[in-house]
């Protein structure tokens, strides 16, 4: 039986210093990403070992909102040259097969975005209209697919988030607030859709999905077993969850460890 383990990366399997939480010692950490020579993301050694030694019946599928270039910096989730056959980047707009984007997939997503008017140059004037406040530090484009705003969380008005979410949903964009980043994602770009494509390609019979944010919820809903990190945006937002989605008992980098322990034990049960 082939099991697909489709997992978000940031704040699910890998953590920055700022997001790893307490209750982890320096000796437990391994570095998994560097930016300009400086360590950026970590796992615990236990997590890394569990991920590297998953049963051969399990196909690990990274599913991230990172762009391809940002994803490729995360070298520590694979043992040497052991990159998996597939990876989902740019939140599902791009599927990599053996390191290369599947052209037809992205062309199809582009067409959907164009036909629904959810393209960046339609969005930017709306952002300018609604966001003039001093807590907007920067507005960045991710490979021409979506936009994220860097916000000053101290001054960000959390009470207005529902209003923003509603306003942008009406024009076809989903919002997700993760740390200092507020994402604006076209509704056609989903992790769940891209995961289904890979699931069919590899004929997986069972899917375990893991995540922490609102952008992961659709992915978890489509899985047979969903593992949701307790510290994340999705739990905080209190949206109703289906019965097959479980919230971790632990928070921070230790939730990552708990997720991988669960994946290992489920794979043994399905042997
Ligand atoms: Mg995440």
């Amino acid at each position: 039986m082939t099991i697909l383990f489709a997992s978000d990366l940031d704040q699910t399997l890998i953590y920055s210093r700022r997001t790893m939480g307490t209750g982890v010692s320096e000796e437990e950490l391994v570095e998994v990403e560097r930016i300009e020579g400086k360590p950026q993301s970590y796992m615990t050694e236990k997590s890394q070992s569990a991920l590297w030694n998953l049963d051969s019946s399990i196909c690990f599928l990274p599913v991230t909102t990172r762009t391809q270039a940002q994803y490729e910096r995360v070298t520590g989730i694979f043992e040497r040259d052991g990159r998996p056959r597939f990876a989902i980047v740019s939140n599902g707009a791009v599927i990599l097969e053996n390191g290369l984007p599947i052209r037809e997939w992205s062309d199809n997503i582009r067409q959907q975005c164009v036909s629904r008017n959810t393209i960046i140059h339609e969005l930017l004037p709306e952002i300018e209209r609604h966001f003039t406040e001093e807590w907007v530090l920067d507005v960045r484009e991710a490979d021409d697919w979506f936009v994220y705003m860097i916000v000053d969380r101290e001054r960000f008005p959390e009470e207005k988030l529902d209003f923003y979410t509603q306003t942008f949903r009406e024009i076809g964009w989903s919002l997700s607030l993760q740390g200092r980043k507020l994402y604006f994602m076209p509704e056609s770009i989903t992790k769940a859709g891209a995961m289904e494509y890979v699931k069919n390609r590899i004929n997986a019979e069972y899917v375990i999905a893991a995540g922490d944010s609102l952008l992961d919820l659709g992915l978890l809903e489509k899985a047979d077993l969903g593992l949701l990190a307790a510290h994340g945006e999705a739990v905080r937002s209190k949206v109703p969850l289906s019965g097959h989605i479980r919230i971790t008992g632990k928070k921070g980098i230790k939730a990552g460890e708990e997720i991988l322990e669960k994946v290992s034990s489920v794979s043994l049960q399905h042997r």
Side-chain angles (χ1 to χ4, degrees), residues 123-139 147 149-151 156-157 160-161 163-165 167-168 175 177 182-184:
L123 173 73
L124 292 177
E126 291 302 314
I127 287 186
E128 269 176 40
R129 206 151 72 83
H130 286 281
F131 297 93
T132 47
E133 293 86 349
E134 69 290 345
W135 46 260
V136 178
L137 304 180
D138 199 5
V139 176
V147 166
M149 188 181 275
I150 308 292
V151 301
F156 180 81
K160 283 183 80 178
L161 189 57
F163 166 75
Y164 293 136
T165 301
T167 304
F168 283 87
L175 260 59
L177 180 64
L182 178 61
Y183 291 90
F184 295 76

Side-chain angles (χ1 to χ4, degrees), residues 2-49:
T2 304
I3 299 173
L4 181 62
F5 171 44
S7 183
D8 173 50
L9 298 179
D10 294 87
Q11 280 92 258
T12 297
L13 295 186
I14 69 173
Y15 293 78
S16 65
R17 288 261 170 214
R18 196 177 52 77
T19 59
M20 67 175 61
T22 52
V24 62
S25 69
E26 209 54 43
E27 298 76 58
E28 289 177 270
L29 298 176
V30 285
E31 176 196 319
V32 295
E33 178 190 20
R34 272 182 181 227
I35 299 182
E36 288 159 7
K38 288 198 196 110
Q40 173 67 21
S41 304
Y42 302 83
M43 299 175 84
T44 64
E45 203 172 349
K46 205 168 153 191
S47 291
Q48 187 184 53
S49 157

Side-chain angles (χ1 to χ4, degrees), residues 157-229:
E158 306 264 342
E159 70 283 358
K160 283 183 80 178
L161 189 57
D162 283 347
F163 166 75
Y164 293 136
T165 301
Q166 192 55 39
T167 304
F168 283 87
R169 185 181 292 142
E170 280 164 19
I171 54 167
W173 297 81
S174 307
L175 260 59
S176 171
L177 180 64
Q178 302 179 38
R180 305 165 59 230
K181 293 178 181 167
L182 178 61
Y183 291 90
F184 295 76
M185 191 64 67
E187 60 192 5
S188 319
I189 301 181
T190 67
K191 291 182 170 184
M195 180 278 280
E196 296 267 12
Y197 171 90
V198 175
K199 181 189 174 187
N200 291 331
R201 284 285 306 274
I202 66 167
N203 292 316
E205 290 140 285
Y206 190 87
V207 179
I208 307 171
D212 70 296
S213 79
L214 288 174
L215 296 176
D216 300 319
L217 272 189
L219 176 72
L220 270 60
E221 285 293 341
K222 286 279 181 208
D224 297 289
L225 171 64
L227 303 169
L228 187 59

